[in-house]
Amino acid sequence: SKFASANMESLASDMAVGGGETLASLADLMGVAEEDRAAFYEVAQDNFASIYSDENITAGEMVDNLGQVMASNVELADYTKA
């Protein structure tokens, strides 16, 4: 997404600490409901190394990795189904 491309560093910072304005905006764009936000932030933080798997990762790869991590989480899997 354009948003992810434009905010890779901010998203990395937010994911590393498990929250923040940029990560909240990404959750909005992904349609993550308010009641699932805590799980989303926790999954992003816990799987940071898998999501940002390479220092030269593209936004598309990062979003794909985030989707894979979400798909394996009971609370978040529904957000990854097309």
Side-chain angles (χ1 to χ4, degrees):
S1 76
K2 286 183 180 178
F3 177 82
S5 299
N7 293 285
M8 287 289 282
E9 283 186 33
S10 297
L11 284 168
S13 298
D14 283 3
M15 285 185 193
V17 297
E21 198 173 311
T22 311
L23 191 56
S25 296
L26 182 63
D28 279 338
L29 289 170
M30 295 179 78
V32 178
E34 206 60 50
E35 62 267 20
D36 293 326
R37 293 290 170 100
F40 177 75
Y41 300 147
E42 187 177 331
V43 162
Q45 183 177 25
D46 290 351
N47 296 280
F48 178 75
S50 301
I51 296 167
Y52 276 83
S53 54
D54 185 288
E55 63 184 31
N56 299 313
I57 195 166
T58 67
E61 291 166 337
M62 183 275 289
V63 171
D64 287 345
N65 290 345
L66 177 59
Q68 289 174 8
V69 165
M70 289 173 69
S72 64
N73 179 281
V74 169
E75 290 175 79
L76 303 176
D78 286 346
Y79 295 107
T80 65
K81 294 174 183 150

